[in-house]
Amino acid sequence: MRPTPRKAFAASVFTVAVLAGVSLPATPAAATPRAAPSAAACTPAQVVTNGGFESGTSPWSQSSTSVITNRTGQTAHGGTTFAWLDGVGSTHTDTLSQSVTIPSGCSSATLTFWLHIDTAETTSSTAYDKLTAKIGTTTLATYSNLNKNTGYAQKSFDVSAFAGQTVNVAFTGTEDSSLQTSFVVDDVALDTSGDTTPPADSTRTPAAPSYTVSLSSNTSGTVWTGHESATFTNASSTALSEVYLRLWDNYHGTCSSLPIAVSNVTGGTAGALSVDCTALKIDLSTPLTQGQTATIGFDLGITVPSGADRFGYDGAFSFIGNALPVLAVKDTAGWHLDPYTNNGESFYSLAADFKVTLDHPSTLLVPATGASVDTPGSSGRTITTATASKVRDFAWAAGPFTKISGTSTAGTPINVYSVTGISSANAQSMLTTAKTAVDAHASRFGAYPYGELDAVIDNNFWFGGMEYPGFVLDLVSTTALTHEIGHQWWYGIVGDDEYNSPWLDEAFTDYATDLALSKTGTSCWNSVSWASTAEKITNSMAYWDTHSSRYSTVVYGYGKCALHDLRRVLGDTAMAKLLKDYATSHWYGVSTTAEFKAAAQAATTTDLTSFWTQHRIDG
């Protein structure tokens, strides 16, 4: 997404504002390549003692004897004992810490812990109660009542910068004067090793999803009803007894008036909606062992709300992004059931196949993800059938658009759909931009694989622009459209966990946008000014939703400038090869910060440890 202030104005103005706000310190002279320092021998070890709290309280220091506990009201992640900070419901502070020594000979050190948060707070916008995780004086993360979750989620941090030091691992929980929030920590570990290659991705499941959808619209294209089925395979060695559907657009309504309504589930039993009604648990009829496949089906109703949004209608034009339920991802951290964010994206999903049939009035054009074929329907209606392979989501629009088409030099068909009020000259300009951009990105990162590309243009979009596979929403803006098309690679082809690692798509796409527009980012790391020690390029949307004024400056601006700086360290040729090879190796997969850092380090003899620290790229 290319954000603009809430009241929309031209994205080109936004770009200037961001660049001005990023007026960032003379780029350090490129480091002279040198051999990485030889490390002392490392014996892999786990250096936290009694991380599961099953052996009493030693050597932990706690603010009160009730922090490490097995009392009723909360449960352990493993065993019977856990650390319960706060949960009092009045002004209160709990602390928990342990001194650890990280061996100097180990090139890798990772701190992990499992965290469960429940709260009586009802707000969806204010962090009243907070938990801070630190190592030494460095804040690793801050969580709050806004991060409440079902069950435990594992948190992981690269702390290799502290090799050779004795430091405290510490947790501090604070509550305000009313309404309890419980921060429950368990199974704390700090693993060290001498291996500079991070472990392979944990198994992500349900894998190889395939969606078949048939929907029919009302006369205006604002209400769609029909059926969806999802077929998937359990890739994990652990039996899969349930799945979760993400009903993202229920954020735009209320739990008593759902924009996305699922009913008559087959292949499993629907449970309760959770995460503000954006997650629906389905207990499978039969648990799946590794390699087994199952199908669930359900009736689906979609009601598009008013508003020029990524899910909304602007007059006669409907924009229908994130409306189809998709399967949540489960890995070693558990189910990823993050909340919706309007500030960025939460949309973490695996590459899937879609076949979507849309029955609509013939007066409406329906641009959509994938390759579309129109056939006559009943009187006055058209059936648009869109098929897409290896995409992470499916989006469409409906309305009396003005359509123009062309083909890029490299052969990608481009369609531009404009709402009323977009001049033919502006539409033509966006077609030219799209043709240039798709070829520029393809030449750097790999051939565009999705067949046609549809761009839907409306200057009323408050958010600037939004990406979906083969389909983008945008203002009339060369920069914004080039950015959204860049997302076809950085999010679409090379996936990531958009909620927990937004920089992996936004910073990489803004960097790609600069390259496509012949911007070199000269000196753009100048005068970077961090708002706090907790502010990092790699922070999650949980952090940015409570620091929204800094989101675009840091993730987009500082993030792309960090990549420009990395290019200056590696050299233009090595950086270009790094990104193309990295895209190839993660084609239709999922990228992580640790994997990118490892790939970058493998591309140079210069030790990048200090680079990551300077640019605040953790993970």
Side-chain angles (χ1 to χ4, degrees):
M1 187 166 78
R2 183 86 183 172
T4 65
R6 186 70 189 190
K7 297 298 183 182
F9 58 93
S12 57
V13 176
F14 165 79
T15 305
V16 173
V18 166
L19 292 175
V22 183
S23 64
L24 301 170
T27 302
T32 302
R34 58 181 177 81
S38 59
C42 174
T43 301
Q46 199 288 102
V47 300
V48 169
T49 302
N50 189 26
F53 311 109
E54 301 298 320
S55 304
T57 61
S58 180
W60 292 98
S61 297
Q62 53 182 339
S63 55
S64 73
T65 56
S66 63
V67 173
I68 297 175
T69 183
N70 60 3
R71 67 186 191 272
T72 58
Q74 297 293 339
T75 58
H77 173 258
T80 60
T81 307
F82 47 90
W84 184 351
L85 291 85
D86 300 332
V88 176
S90 59
T91 303
H92 185 79
T93 299
D94 277 328
T95 61
L96 178 72
S97 65
Q98 178 180 148
S99 177
V100 299
T101 299
I102 304 176
S104 59
C106 294
S107 60
S108 174
T110 303
L111 174 68
T112 59
F113 57 90
W114 291 83
L115 176 64
H116 168 60
I117 303 172
D118 73 44
T119 184
E121 301 282 3
T122 59
T123 178
S124 61
S125 59
T126 305
Y128 290 114
D129 310 317
K130 298 180 181 180
L131 177 77
T132 301
K134 284 187 172 185
I135 184 165
T137 59
T138 298
T139 298
L140 299 173
T142 300
Y143 308 97
S144 75
N145 49 281
L146 299 177
N147 305 121
K148 62 185 178 181
N149 58 334
T150 302
Y152 280 85
Q154 190 180 40
K155 310 300 180 182
S156 180
F157 303 92
D158 179 1
V159 294
S160 54
F162 296 88
Q165 300 181 39
T166 297
V167 290
N168 273 348
V169 173
F171 303 91
T172 301
T174 59
E175 279 184 295
D176 71 350
S177 58
S178 65
L179 298 177
Q180 75 85 24
T181 299
S182 296
F183 300 100
V184 190
V185 177
D186 203 358
D187 293 331
V188 184
L190 203 165
D191 292 291
T192 65
S193 73
D195 184 7
T196 57
T197 303
D201 283 354
S202 59
T203 299
R204 298 180 177 93
T205 202
S210 177
Y211 301 94
T212 302
V213 184
S214 179
L215 298 172
S216 180
S217 82
N218 64 353
T219 57
S220 63
T222 57
V223 177
W224 299 77
T225 55
H227 189 79
E228 177 176 345
S229 64
T231 300
F232 51 88
T233 300
N234 180 22
S236 172
S237 59
T238 302
L240 190 67
S241 59
E242 79 282 336
V243 295
Y244 284 85
L245 289 174
R246 295 316 308 257
L247 283 54
W248 288 115
D249 283 335
N250 281 342
Y251 167 87
H252 297 278
T254 65
C255 289
S256 59
S257 180
L258 297 171
I260 310 299
V262 168
S263 59
N264 299 324
V265 173
T266 59
T269 303
L273 288 163
S274 60
V275 198
D276 292 329
C277 294
T278 66
L280 175 64
K281 182 181 180 183
I282 296 179
D283 291 308
L284 299 178
S285 300
T286 303
L288 298 183
T289 59
Q290 189 172 29
Q292 286 189 315
T293 296
T295 299
I296 58 172
F298 46 90
D299 291 337
L300 177 63
I302 299 170
T303 304
V304 183
S306 176
D309 211 329
R310 51 193 179 187
F311 178 61
Y313 66 84
D314 181 17
F317 302 92
S318 293
F319 314 104
I320 310 169
N322 306 112
L324 292 185
V326 294
L327 293 161
V329 179
K330 183 183 183 184
D331 56 24
T332 54
W335 287 104
H336 287 259
L337 301 178
D338 300 304
Y340 185 101
T341 174
N342 212 30
N343 194 31
E345 287 86 40
S346 305
F347 315 129
Y348 178 27
S349 57
L350 302 183
D353 295 337
F354 284 82
K355 181 178 181 180
V356 180
T357 302
L358 303 169
D359 183 336
H360 57 89
S362 300
T363 54
L364 305 180
L365 296 184
V366 180
T369 290
S372 295
V373 176
D374 287 344
T375 56
S378 59
S379 178
R381 295 182 70 87
T382 296
I383 297 174
T384 297
T385 301
T387 55
S389 178
K390 304 300 182 186
V391 296
R392 299 180 192 278
D393 203 346
F394 185 97
W396 73 100
F401 295 101
T402 299
K403 176 186 176 182
I404 59 173
S405 301
T407 303
S408 75
T409 300
T412 298
I414 310 287
N415 303 304
V416 171
Y417 295 81
S418 302
V419 304
T420 304
I422 302 297
S423 70
S424 59
N426 280 338
Q428 189 63 51
S429 173
M430 291 300 92
L431 178 60
T432 299
T433 293
K435 290 192 289 186
T436 301
V438 73
D439 284 355
H441 296 315
S443 69
R444 290 184 172 89
F445 311 123
Y448 177 74
Y450 297 140
E452 67 187 48
L453 173 63
D454 294 339
V456 179
I457 309 298
D458 185 341
N459 274 336
N460 290 332
F461 290 139
W462 67 265
F463 49 84
M466 180 65 198
E467 72 280 0
Y468 295 98
F471 176 97
V472 299
L473 305 173
D474 224 314
L475 307 172
V476 175
S477 166
T478 296
T479 300
L481 186 56
T482 303
H483 175 97
E484 301 313 329
I485 292 173
H487 273 304
Q488 300 303 309
W489 284 264
W490 305 106
Y491 144 77
I493 298 166
V494 181
D496 65 284
D497 180 346
E498 291 188 300
Y499 187 83
N500 289 299
S501 299
W503 90 287
L504 287 172
D505 52 278
E506 297 299 357
F508 280 60
T509 297
D510 239 21
Y511 174 77
T513 301
D514 272 6
L515 297 183
L517 298 177
S518 301
K519 297 178 181 179
T520 62
T522 302
S523 300
C524 77
W525 192 256
N526 284 9
S527 303
V528 165
S529 178
W530 301 105
S532 71
T533 57
E535 188 172 85
K536 302 177 190 297
I537 288 172
T538 46
N539 282 349
S540 74
M541 291 307 305
Y543 178 89
W544 298 118
D545 279 347
T546 59
H547 302 80
S548 58
S549 66
R550 296 285 294 168
Y551 171 59
S552 62
T553 297
V554 177
V555 173
Y556 291 68
Y558 294 6
K560 75 171 180 182
C561 288
L563 293 173
H564 279 301
D565 262 12
L566 182 61
R567 175 172 52 82
R568 282 182 272 273
V569 172
L570 271 58
D572 290 357
T573 301
M575 183 67 168
K577 184 177 187 302
L578 165 65
L579 288 180
K580 191 160 190 175
D581 289 350
Y582 190 77
T584 299
S585 65
H586 289 78
W587 205 259
Y588 303 138
V590 175
S591 170
T592 67
T593 299
E595 287 178 318
F596 177 71
K597 289 170 67 175
Q601 184 60 77
T604 181
T605 56
T606 300
D607 183 359
L608 296 177
T609 301
S610 62
F611 179 92
W612 307 127
T613 301
Q614 177 197 359
H615 293 81
R616 299 199 182 188
I617 295 173
D618 291 351

